[in-house]
Amino acid sequence: MKINIPQTDLPRVVIIGCGFAGLRLAKNLRHANVQVVLVDRNNYHNFQPLLYQVATGGLEADSIAYPIRKIFTGQKNFYFRMADVTAIHPEINQIQTSIGDIRYDYLVVSSGSATNFFGNKQIEENAMQIKSIPSALNLRSLIFQNFEKALLMSRTEQRDPLMDIVVVGGGPTGVELSGTLAEMKKYVLPKDYPELDMSMMDIYLIEAGPTLLNGMSKESQEKALNYLKDMGVHVELSAPVESFENNVVKFGGGKTINASTMIWAAGVFGANIPGLADQAVSRNKRINVNTWNQVIGYSNIFAIGDIANMETKDFPRGHPMVAPVAIQQAELLAENLPRIMAGQTPHEFLYKNKGVMATVGRNRAVVDLPKFKFGGFFAWLVWMFVHLMTLVGFRNKLVTFVGWVWNYFAFDTALRLIIRPYLKETRDGKEQQPSPPQPPAAQEGNPNKPEAPQPAVPTVNNNPQTADAPSPATNPVKPEFASAPVNATANTRQSATQAQTTESVASANTGSFNQLAPNTFKIPPGTP
C-alpha cells in the first residue's frame, strides 16, 4: 500500500501520536523548513482529562474530541495519516504501520501511556478502563445497562451487585470519577429509576497507597478524602486489589465486595513501540531520553510527553505523566529541532510546575499552586476554567461550557444514553449471549397467567436447599464487606516491571459475569 506522501528536499519529521505533546509539536513546526508527518490511530485529538465525564453522561464524546485535519487546516508543511504504528526500524530510518512503511529523517515518539494492570491478567480481562473515547462510551453503556437489569431482579443479592460500582486508583481520575458517580446517585439516578432503592447503591474507591492524590499536598489530600466521605463514597486506603472475577472484588488481604462493575484507574505506563534498543526503554516502558528529549543511543529519534523518561536531579524517576510536562517538552523540541539540524547546541528542558488540581464534585475541588493551596468553590471554578481553556476548538469550549452550566443548575446530566449496547466478552473472545427466554410466571391478581414450572431443588455444598428459603451462605442483608473464603486464592499484585499490557482502542477487555459469587447458588429459571 502506498502512503502517498510527497517527496521533498526538506527534512521529514515524523510524529507518532496526536496527544498533547504531538499536537503542540506539529503546530509549533508550522513555520519550520521541514515536512511534518503525523501518524495516529484515530483521526481526532482526544482530551483525556474529561473522559470520565463522557463515561458518566456529563458530556458527549464530540465535546472533548476534535478532528486532526481541521486543527491543521492551512498548515502547508503538514501531512496526516491514520494508522497504527507497529514497529520502529531505526537502522533504516523507517516506521512500520498498518498502512505501510514511512521513512523519516527525524522521528518523534509521543505515543502517550497505556493502562498498567501490574501484570494481573485476571483484572485486565475483567475490569473496565477509560483511556479512550470508545472505552468511555462502553463504560457509560455498561453502567446504565446494569441499572436496567437491576429493575428485572426480584432478589436483593441479585440486584445489589448490578448497582454497586468499584473504582480502583486514588489519583485524579479515580477521585473525579468517584465524586461524579456519587452525584449521579444523589441527583440523577433517583429520577430515572424511582423503582430502585438508591440507598442500596454503594460506590467504593480503593487505593493501594496510604493517601489519595499522590503528588499533591497533604492538605489537599485530606480535603479530597473528606469531600468524598461527605458524598457517601466508601474510601479504602492501603488496600491493593488482588483479583476481580465472578462479580467479586478481593482486596486488602481478605476483604471482598460484590459488584458487577470495577473501573481500573490505578496506574499507567508508557505506550512503547517495539524496535528500540533495550537500554532505551525503562522499567515502566517509558523511553529514556536526555535533557533535550533525545532518545538515549540515537541521534535522530526523540520522545516527548508521557512516553519520555527524563531522569534529572529534581525528578530522579522521571517527570510526572501530566499534560503540562508534555506541552512544555513539545514547545522546547520545536525550538531545538532546527538548532540540531543546523549543528547548534540544543537547549535543555526545565519543567516549570504551574500547579496541580483535581475536582471532586459540585463546588468541591483542590488546587496546589507553587505559592499557595486552596480548595472548595473557588478551586472548583479554577479547575473548570483551566480545563475549558485547554480544550481544542471554540465549538468544544462553548458546548462544554453550556453543558456544565446546564448540569449545575438543573442537577441533571442529559446524556444517559445507551447508544451502542456493551457486550462483555468471555475469555475465549466470544460475546456473551442473552439469557434464554424464561417461561411466563403467574402475577399477583391475574389468575389467568400460567404458573412457572416448579424448579429443581438446588444444592449448596452437597446439602439440599428448599427453593423458598435462601441458603445459609447467602445473606439477603447487604454487608459492608464480606470476608473472603478461606480457600480463596488471591492473585498478588505484581511489579510494574512485569506488566505486559497494551491499551485497547475500541474497548476494555472484560470477563464473563454470568458466574455467581462464592457461597451463593444459581436461581433456577422461572423462580419469582
Side-chain angles (χ1 to χ4, degrees):
M1 185 181 297
K2 292 184 178 180
I3 305 300
N4 289 332
I5 298 175
Q7 296 295 326
T8 176
D9 294 334
L10 296 175
R12 176 181 290 178
V13 179
V14 174
I15 304 171
I16 302 175
C18 191
F20 290 109
L23 174 66
R24 183 59 60 94
L25 175 61
K27 290 180 69 174
N28 285 18
L29 289 176
R30 60 187 177 276
H31 299 307
N33 290 323
V34 296
Q35 183 188 64
V36 179
V37 178
L38 178 62
V39 183
D40 195 283
R41 63 180 54 168
N42 301 309
N43 73 333
Y44 55 85
H45 167 74
N46 169 27
F47 191 78
Q48 286 196 9
L50 294 181
L51 274 175
Y52 77 95
Q53 294 199 16
V54 174
T56 53
L59 293 174
E60 191 51 271
D62 62 358
S63 300
I64 66 168
Y66 205 79
I68 292 175
R69 296 187 182 278
K70 187 172 182 179
I71 295 173
F72 294 95
T73 299
Q75 184 167 328
K76 301 299 183 182
N77 65 343
F78 176 82
Y79 298 89
F80 171 70
R81 294 295 180 267
M82 190 175 81
D84 273 309
V85 179
T86 56
I88 300 173
H89 300 293
E91 66 279 1
I92 57 175
N93 289 349
Q94 282 187 357
I95 61 171
Q96 179 180 316
T97 77
S98 56
I99 60 173
D101 295 340
I102 300 177
R103 179 193 60 80
Y104 65 82
D105 295 303
Y106 295 90
L107 176 65
V108 181
V109 183
S110 58
S111 50
S113 60
T115 303
N116 188 357
F117 294 96
F118 302 96
N120 194 321
K121 293 295 184 181
Q122 184 191 68
I123 292 178
E124 181 181 356
E125 292 172 350
N126 295 339
M128 301 295 290
Q129 56 177 314
I130 43 175
K131 282 293 291 180
S132 65
I133 287 178
S135 63
L137 293 174
N138 286 340
L139 178 56
R140 184 177 78 181
S141 295
L142 178 62
I143 290 173
F144 294 112
Q145 284 172 207
N146 283 344
F147 275 90
E148 296 295 334
K149 292 177 183 177
L151 290 171
L152 309 179
M153 302 299 170
S154 57
R155 295 174 182 261
T156 301
E157 63 269 20
Q158 294 175 312
R159 186 187 308 115
D160 285 355
L162 292 168
M163 298 173 63
D164 292 350
I165 299 176
V166 176
V167 180
V168 182
T173 300
V175 168
E176 293 169 357
L177 181 58
S178 300
T180 302
L181 290 170
E183 290 189 333
M184 288 178 62
K185 173 186 174 181
K186 182 177 181 180
Y187 299 115
V188 178
L189 295 176
K191 302 175 187 176
D192 283 4
Y193 302 98
E195 302 159 76
L196 296 176
D197 180 7
M198 286 301 158
S199 66
M200 300 303 292
M201 176 186 178
D202 285 319
I203 301 162
Y204 301 89
L205 176 59
I206 304 178
E207 164 59 32
T211 62
L212 299 177
L213 299 176
N214 184 31
M216 296 193 71
S217 65
K218 184 177 180 180
E219 177 185 352
S220 294
Q221 292 171 347
E222 292 177 351
K223 281 185 178 179
L225 178 61
N226 292 332
Y227 287 152
L228 288 172
K229 288 182 176 180
D230 291 343
M231 299 169 73
V233 177
H234 305 284
V235 181
E236 289 290 318
L237 301 176
S238 301
V241 173
E242 299 156 1
S243 65
F244 176 48
E245 193 171 28
N246 303 335
N247 293 3
V248 178
V249 181
K250 296 180 182 179
F251 70 100
K255 297 178 181 178
T256 63
I257 300 172
N258 283 3
S260 63
T261 303
M262 186 178 85
I263 306 167
W264 187 264
V268 293
F269 53 26
N272 188 32
I273 300 170
L276 298 179
D278 292 341
Q279 63 268 22
V281 182
S282 68
R283 65 189 182 283
N284 56 354
K285 296 189 177 182
R286 298 173 80 182
I287 299 176
N288 296 320
V289 298
N290 58 21
T291 52
W292 54 86
N293 288 97
Q294 189 179 53
V295 176
I296 302 300
Y298 299 93
S299 60
N300 64 338
I301 303 179
F302 302 83
I304 54 178
D306 290 354
I307 191 67
N309 183 50
M310 183 187 296
E311 298 178 356
T312 64
K313 181 180 178 181
D314 294 332
F315 299 94
R317 301 181 63 183
H319 291 78
M321 301 166 77
V322 293
V325 173
I327 292 172
Q328 292 180 34
Q329 287 182 347
E331 291 173 342
L332 182 64
L333 185 58
E335 299 175 6
N336 278 337
L337 277 176
R339 298 179 62 87
I340 293 173
M341 295 174 190
Q344 301 174 0
T345 303
H347 300 300
E348 294 189 350
F349 177 73
L350 181 62
Y351 175 49
K352 300 178 181 64
N353 185 3
K354 299 178 181 179
V356 273
M357 60 188 70
T359 183
V360 184
R362 174 186 299 264
N363 301 335
R364 296 180 176 97
V366 288
V367 175
D368 284 356
L369 298 179
K371 299 292 184 180
F372 59 96
K373 305 165 184 62
F374 57 96
F377 178 71
F378 182 64
W380 181 67
L381 292 178
V382 171
W383 180 92
M384 287 198 301
F385 176 78
V386 170
H387 284 71
L388 198 63
M389 292 300 102
T390 313
L391 281 168
V392 177
F394 175 78
R395 176 195 172 277
N396 286 18
K397 291 180 172 67
L398 180 61
V399 170
T400 301
F401 177 72
V402 171
W404 283 348
V405 171
W406 170 262
N407 295 345
Y408 184 78
F409 288 104
F411 290 86
D412 196 10
T413 57
L415 298 171
R416 302 183 296 277
L417 309 176
I418 305 175
I419 298 294
R420 48 177 199 179
Y422 175 65
L423 298 177
K424 292 180 178 143
E425 294 181 354
T426 58
R427 291 191 177 186
D428 59 6
K430 298 179 180 179
E431 292 182 347
Q432 290 185 7
Q433 299 300 318
S435 301
Q438 303 296 323
Q443 296 184 3
E444 185 177 352
N446 188 357
N448 295 325
K449 289 277 186 179
E451 292 186 357
Q454 188 69 21
V457 178
T459 60
V460 179
N461 297 330
N462 298 321
N463 295 322
Q465 305 290 328
T466 63
D468 296 330
S471 164
T474 304
N475 189 354
V477 180
K478 182 172 184 178
E480 188 67 19
F481 296 111
S483 297
V486 175
N487 63 348
T489 302
N491 293 335
T492 57
R493 184 174 184 174
Q494 300 179 12
S495 169
T497 60
Q498 298 174 330
Q500 301 291 331
T501 59
T502 56
E503 181 183 12
S504 172
V505 181
S507 65
N509 292 328
T510 56
S512 171
F513 292 96
N514 284 334
Q515 305 175 42
L516 295 175
N519 296 335
T520 61
F521 64 86
K522 188 173 182 180
I523 306 300
T527 302

